Amino acid sequence: MVRLGAGLAAATLVWTGVTSSAQAAISDDDLRPLVIGGQPAEEGQYPWLVGIGSSGEGTPWERQSCGGSVITKTVVLTAAHCVEDAVDDPEGLVIFSGSVDLESDELVETAVTDLHLAHDYGEPVGSANDWALLLLDEPVDIDPIEVDVDPAEFETLEAVGWGQTGEGYPTVARWVELPFVDDEACSDAYPGAFDGQTMLCAGDLQNGGVDTCDGDSGGPLLAPDDKGRQILVGIVSWGDGCAEPGSPGVYAEVADFNGSMDDAIDGWADGE
């Protein structure tokens, strides 16, 4: 299941993670618990975390549909499936930054002026290369997160977002620690759907109970470096259900497309 948010779920087709052609509309019955075992984020814990939503009327909580990460003062990284329908109208998107609480008075809304969708999104399998960049109308007063450049195996990862909790969508982002799942085990869990070159997995294979879910799409998967800093290694992409044993969450692997991402950012800087 592609992990869309409240604002997009009702009208969007989603991939079930079984085959590239298995699609169905999200209904209320599809919304499974998020971050079981997780907890609300504290202010300042994820300063580069943003919500992505539609411009127009309504509160940020009502308009937010996906997550993203500030990777430069004017660029946000998110999932391609979150914004692919906005390619012809990127100015219909905004980001919400400055707080983990979508009802906070400190929240800042910034317009999006352009969008770069991964050119090989959906190749070689349905949700491969699930990444996109948003160019902001003006710089945000946020220190960008450092992005992973080398593929690696990890022990424990961390994810954060405003996704479904089983009791609705929270206004305060929640975070959860996730065991790393190696490519072989993830391929066994999702035969024919998992691509180890462009994806990585995290979750408790045996017990389930910890995962990202609907509404967390585009948000970060994090790993600590040798200095204890949070490094962006993945983007919330898809999974079969949420927090189910044997069905880990699947994430776009940032190290795979880091060069293409830099090229796109350089193109914007050069006015292309």
Side-chain angles (χ1 to χ4, degrees):
M1 178 182 292
V2 172
R3 297 184 169 179
L4 293 164
L8 296 179
T12 307
L13 296 181
V14 299
W15 183 40
T16 65
V18 178
T19 69
S20 60
S21 61
Q23 294 181 322
I26 294 178
S27 68
D28 289 342
D29 293 335
D30 291 318
L31 302 178
R32 309 284 181 84
L34 161 76
V35 297
I36 300 171
Q39 56 191 301
E42 300 290 338
E43 291 292 7
Q45 188 174 356
Y46 306 99
W48 31 261
L49 175 70
V50 302
I52 298 171
S54 58
S55 59
E57 298 180 356
T59 66
W61 179 80
E62 292 170 325
R63 291 183 283 137
Q64 183 268 342
S65 56
C66 280
S69 303
V70 174
I71 59 170
T72 81
K73 295 284 189 179
T74 57
V75 177
V76 166
L77 176 64
T78 188
H81 76 261
C82 282
V83 297
E84 59 181 322
D85 291 339
V87 168
D88 295 328
D89 183 27
E91 294 179 357
L93 297 173
V94 296
I95 68 142
F96 306 109
S97 65
S99 177
V100 295
D101 185 350
L102 292 175
E103 293 185 330
S104 171
D105 292 338
E106 302 299 317
L107 206 65
V108 177
E109 182 172 330
T110 306
V112 172
T113 62
D114 202 359
L115 176 131
H116 174 89
L117 199 72
H119 72 276
D120 48 0
Y121 171 49
E123 299 175 6
V125 294
S127 285
N129 297 295
D130 189 9
W131 64 275
L133 300 172
L134 304 180
L135 181 64
L136 304 181
D137 180 54
E138 58 184 341
V140 290
D141 187 19
I142 295 171
D143 289 332
I145 186 170
E146 187 169 340
V147 177
D148 181 45
V149 295
D150 296 313
E153 291 193 358
F154 312 96
E155 293 184 4
T156 302
L157 299 166
E158 190 172 300
V160 59
W162 288 277
Q164 171 65 218
T165 65
E167 298 178 354
Y169 292 88
T171 61
V172 176
R174 298 178 65 87
W175 68 277
V176 62
E177 290 187 345
L178 302 167
F180 173 73
V181 177
D182 65 42
D183 286 355
E184 182 178 358
C186 199
S187 184
D188 289 343
Y190 298 116
F194 175 76
D195 175 40
Q197 181 65 38
T198 64
M199 304 174 189
L200 58 86
C201 287
D204 189 330
L205 269 177
Q206 183 174 355
N207 303 305
V210 289
D211 200 359
T212 49
C213 197
D214 306 294
D216 290 313
S217 283
L221 182 70
L222 308 164
D225 68 1
D226 56 6
K227 298 179 181 179
R229 299 173 301 181
Q230 294 170 322
I231 306 298
L232 181 64
V233 300
I235 303 170
V236 180
S237 183
W238 63 278
D240 187 3
C242 301
E244 302 276 345
S247 299
V250 186
Y251 301 79
E253 187 169 0
V254 174
D256 175 66
F257 59 81
N258 188 62
S260 297
M261 183 172 63
D262 286 345
D263 289 344
I265 295 172
D266 290 344
W268 274 329
D270 294 336
E272 297 178 3

